[in-house]
DNA sequence: TCAAGAAAGTGGACATGTCAACCTTTTCGT
DNA sequence: ACGAAAAGGTTGACATGTCCACTTTCTTGA
């Protein structure tokens, strides 16, 4: 037994972690969300979903509603409600999308731009902090691994391949 | 540009993913949860949290409430409510914990054991399916990387180190 | 061209997750 | 042995996330 497995045992109480990859990822996701919320709450009351939308538009990505929604990874219904809250609180305005009248475009107000200017450096520092915790090899490996898992998580067809 | 970055771009619309590690992990976590829910719903109405509790006890881990709660990674309040639902629906019973009267012990009923027997093989197959999507190097790397990130996600002290 | 289907946003219902206050039991220091 | 502090469980309030039905707009094919 090496020191790595010892370290891991501390976080789970001694389970065989090979059985718990989804569980470990879920726990990590929760901790990352809590950390992001802690940073956001230092400077205001933006929720994570609200921040993601602001950040996407601030980055200069396409501001059409569907593009923003897909970049944010937020559910259709939740996206609609979150944008309306952002409007009510004066962070964004919208205008009709010229080439598709079902959609709209998201425009940041000065308030959102100011919030972004305050928050972005701290979130960038956090990102650097997280990456610094990984070895070079881990840093190179992890995004492809996450992507491979995400693809494998999109289907449950493997359960009845024998029935086809 | 290699084919890896191309593949990743497809899932995000062309963003610089080096900036989005927490986002990617959150998205992955959501997909894994949806996949698990899809499997659970094929055989009954157990929620993810309910299933985790049953699985932990079925594995023979210590059945005292605190031990089960920590293994499950579930919030104290949510754990209390979830256990009560499991009792109401006849999946578990409890008895006082002999050495700590604040706690209780969780005992599975036949109904829970039967549900576990039906579900465990499918979730094991899913675990195998996920692991098969990774290369050998990724498989070895990923749990230590997750653990390192989880540790780094537990603090925001890096934000004001200069003020100490 | 026009009817059918797909895609987009909205709103409601419901499930899940988070947080804090509270009470009880245990632990620890004196 | 005793009081204070910590740990455990419960409950309620609230935030977040998921799912579905519905309307409008766009796209497609006959």
């Amino acid at each position: 037994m090496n020191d790595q497995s010892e370290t891991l045992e501390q976080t789970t109480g001694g389970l065989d972690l090979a059985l718990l990859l989804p569980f470990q990822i879920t726990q990590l996701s929760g901790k990352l969300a809590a950390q992001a919320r802690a940073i956001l709450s230092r400077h205001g009351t933006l929720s994570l979903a609200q921040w993601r939308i602001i950040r996407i538009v601030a980055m200069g990505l396409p501001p059409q509603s569907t593009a923003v929604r897909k970049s944010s990874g937020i559910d259709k219904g939740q996206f609609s409600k979150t944008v309306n809250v952002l409007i009510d609180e004066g962070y964004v305005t919208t205008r009709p999308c010229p080439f598709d009248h079902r959609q709209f475009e998201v425009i940041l107000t000065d308030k959102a731009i100011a919030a972004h200017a305050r928050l972005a450096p701290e979130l960038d520092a956090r990102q650097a902090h997280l990456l610094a915790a990984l070895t070079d090899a881990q840093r190179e490996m992890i995004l492809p691994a996450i992507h491979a898992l995400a693809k494998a998580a999109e289907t449950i067809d493997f359960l009845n391949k024998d029935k086809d």
Side-chain angles (χ1 to χ4, degrees), chain A:
Chain A
M1 176 171 293
N2 60 31
D3 59 341
Q4 239 166 25
S5 57
E6 275 175 30
T7 308
L8 288 167
E9 274 183 3
Q10 288 169 8
T11 64
T12 59
L15 283 167
D16 178 1
L17 290 170
L19 296 172
L20 296 171
L21 188 53
F23 173 76
Q24 295 292 119
I25 290 166
T26 296
Q27 295 294 106
L28 171 56
S29 172
K31 286 184 181 179
L32 289 170
Q35 185 183 44
R37 275 196 304 271
I39 294 172
L40 290 176
S41 70
R42 285 162 56 105
H43 298 285
T45 59
L46 283 176
S47 71
L48 252 147
Q50 290 170 344
W51 165 250
R52 273 193 235 138
I53 292 169
I54 289 173
R55 183 188 54 176
I56 284 162
V57 180
M59 286 173 78
L61 295 177
Q64 287 80 33
S65 45
T66 297
V68 175
R69 176 169 60 77
K70 292 194 173 169
S71 293
S72 74
I74 300 174
D75 167 86
K76 221 164 51 152
Q78 196 195 348
F79 182 78
S80 172
K81 290 158 194 160
T82 303
V83 169
N84 279 322
V85 172
L86 285 174
I87 293 170
D88 290 347
E89 298 183 352
Y91 286 100
V92 309
T93 59
T94 60
R95 68 174 166 219
C97 175
F99 59 83
D100 185 342
H101 289 183
R102 296 171 301 181
Q103 298 188 50
F104 53 86
E105 292 184 351
V106 180
I107 298 106
L108 300 186
T109 64
D110 290 347
K111 182 175 180 182
I113 293 168
H116 182 268
R118 274 182 288 121
L119 284 165
E122 300 215 345
L123 282 272
D124 287 351
R126 176 244 199 165
Q127 169 82 18
H129 172 70
L130 292 173
L131 288 176
L134 298 179
T135 65
D136 290 343
Q138 286 170 343
R139 257 193 297 280
E140 287 182 21
M141 191 74 74
I142 191 149
L143 280 172
I146 288 170
H147 178 255
L149 288 173
K151 188 146 177 284
E154 281 169 358
T155 175
I156 58 170
D157 292 348
F158 58 90
L159 286 181
N160 38 10
K161 275 217 188 84
D162 48 336
K163 299 174 83 172
D164 294 350

